[in-house]
Amino acid sequence: MRERVTFVHPQDTDVDPEALDVQPAGLVGPSTDSVRQDRLTFNLDELPLELANLLRGHDAVHLRWTSPRKYDTLEPFSSRQSPGLHVLYTPTAPGANNCSKLCEFLQKIGPVDCMAPEAFTAADTRQHGLPGSMFFYQELEDLSTFIASGLQDICPELDPICLSRLRSLITAASLDLSFDSADQALKIAAFWPLRVHSLTVPGSSMRRTEVGIFTKGSPPNLGPHEVGLGGVLSVLGEQTAPSPVLFAASSRHRLSDMSFSSEFLMPAGLHPTLQLKLSTNKPPVQDSECAPYAYLTLPRKIFADRYQFEDRLFLASKNLTASRYTTLPVDLEAPEYTTKTWGSNVLVELAPPLPSKKQAWTVQLPLHIRYLKPTVSGYAQVEVPYPAVFWACESGSEGDFSTNPFDRRHLGYDELFSSETTFWHAAPKPEVGNRIMSSISVPVLKEEGAAWVRLGTTAVVGLGCAWVIWKLLAAWIGSTQQGGKDEREKSRQKKAN
């Protein structure tokens, strides 16, 4: 097992290397404002047998969880994703159905409704050589279930360091679990947002641990699409003092100056409009072709009508350019309680005002609520995660993002762009509170009236059927009587002749 712990602090915050004490038991340092990422790499033979066998049945498995609480970050940890649990997997054989075993494992992360094969949808990953991939999403408030299962299955009872680090995931902003059959390794990365962190990392003879403490730097020959970092690096158990480092790497994800908020316009009803308020219309770079996008993750309770996004005049009135991608199929009529798929993704290109001057602007996204189950109050709460909002810029030449040790892939939207695209992310800023979830209360049928509605529906359908049967019977009797009259008339005419 290999471990990498990275701290990145703001440029106006100094960390004195002399204050870092590299001991046999680990690194001890002061507390300072910083972001932190812990990354563990396991070979398959180091994993529990059940988990290793599960992964061997897939070409790739990528689990991404993001907290529903607002957080601040620093480069190179710039990527953003809608809050919740995102699952992307590629079976070893095209068309193979491996979702049931994977779903059983997902229960260790949270109560996930994924047992039905129809819960997963086909993922558009053709540009990156992952045909046959399947995707699933579910809202997940925190990692408490994962922590509880980990305390039982991972950490020995007498290992206080393992117990403490696992419990610390309750304050993490994101957690990634990635497996790729090409390297036969499981990579786990946990990220904590910008706040005061203690620069202390315990070491162990059971793993190789690297600890980096960096800030944004400017190494020589820094490219326009690169991020530079400078600081110190320590390998616990091999060094007695940290070593200075300065390096640059091409970065697929960057931070822009744009921020945004997301809320439903009122009154909402069953056809609500999600409004995005964006702080600026100025692209992050001037020497690239850039366009702003919103990548929505919509749970099954709510959906976007893709046909509505084909009217250019309608789109222009909402400050939209086009819908570039929609998960298929999306049933436009089915109630929520009969819908088996998890929901849908929508990639929408936004139409900002001309950048003659820097200004704030808004975008309106028309959505539709499915029919929901009756409630006692006659209203139901619907939450939609904030979308990922970013500028997608073509770099003009393919950057070697593989050299970036902090690169993050398989986020859903990155699969829909070329490998030359860089993403400049907007920071979500809720206007009230710290949750990056948009919530509305929608009208539904009251439970006390549901029985009467069912009874009334049955009665109307029964009366309708009776009326149709009566009309058919009357027509048949009428035709029979008319036929009898015709026969008698013919008989009389024959006798007269």
Side-chain angles (χ1 to χ4, degrees), residues 72-130:
D72 296 320
T73 186
L74 298 172
E75 289 183 328
F77 303 109
S78 310
S79 62
R80 293 277 186 174
Q81 208 172 17
S82 292
L85 177 65
H86 306 252
V87 181
L88 176 71
Y89 82 90
T90 308
T92 52
N97 185 3
N98 296 11
C99 67
S100 58
K101 292 183 178 179
L102 179 61
C103 189
E104 289 178 7
F105 170 75
L106 293 179
Q107 305 310 312
K108 297 180 180 294
I109 300 177
V112 179
D113 182 16
C114 58
M115 287 305 295
E118 297 86 356
F120 291 78
T121 57
D124 190 349
T125 57
R126 291 169 294 178
Q127 291 195 45
H128 299 273
L130 293 173

Side-chain angles (χ1 to χ4, degrees), residues 138-220:
Q138 184 157 321
E139 301 167 71
L140 190 63
E141 186 70 20
D142 55 44
L143 295 173
S144 56
T145 301
F146 179 75
I147 294 170
S149 62
L151 293 174
Q152 180 178 356
D153 301 336
I154 299 175
C155 293
E157 294 183 2
L158 300 179
D159 190 343
I161 294 176
C162 179
L163 297 174
S164 174
R165 295 185 69 177
L166 194 57
R167 290 191 180 102
S168 70
L169 289 176
I170 199 66
T171 60
S174 68
L175 177 69
D176 294 355
L177 287 80
S178 294
F179 167 78
D180 195 309
S181 60
D183 53 22
Q184 292 291 295
L186 175 66
K187 299 175 182 178
I188 303 176
F191 173 75
W192 287 266
L194 182 62
R195 59 179 176 82
V196 175
H197 290 280
S198 174
L199 305 181
T200 299
V201 180
S204 173
S205 59
M206 302 297 293
R207 60 182 180 271
R208 185 181 188 274
T209 302
E210 294 182 359
V211 182
I213 303 173
F214 306 121
T215 190
K216 198 169 182 179
S218 299

Side-chain angles (χ1 to χ4, degrees), residues 229-352:
L229 293 174
V232 294
L233 181 67
S234 302
V235 180
L236 302 184
E238 298 180 13
Q239 295 177 280
T240 57
S243 303
V245 293
L246 182 64
F247 67 96
S250 298
S251 185
R252 192 189 315 270
H253 301 280
R254 303 292 300 271
L255 294 180
S256 74
D257 294 331
M258 185 166 66
S259 62
F260 77 99
S261 63
S262 173
E263 64 178 351
F264 285 103
L265 297 180
M266 296 298 170
L270 296 177
H271 305 281
T273 296
L274 186 67
Q275 179 173 269
L276 306 181
K277 295 181 180 179
L278 303 109
S279 64
T280 180
N281 61 329
K282 186 178 179 181
V285 289
Q286 302 300 320
D287 58 346
S288 297
E289 185 177 336
C290 298
Y293 290 86
Y295 184 71
L296 288 82
T297 302
L298 303 175
R300 65 166 63 101
K301 293 181 179 180
I302 191 168
F303 66 94
D305 184 351
R306 62 184 182 277
Y307 301 108
Q308 202 170 6
F309 288 89
E310 295 178 357
D311 186 336
R312 292 188 178 182
L313 291 177
F314 175 80
L315 292 175
S317 69
K318 306 295 184 183
N319 281 341
L320 301 172
T321 299
S323 174
R324 300 301 184 189
Y325 172 77
T326 300
T327 302
L328 295 177
V330 177
D331 193 323
L332 305 183
E333 302 295 338
E336 181 270 339
Y337 45 84
T338 64
T339 302
K340 293 184 178 180
T341 57
W342 66 267
S344 57
N345 289 123
V346 180
L347 176 68
V348 182
E349 183 177 349
L350 314 182

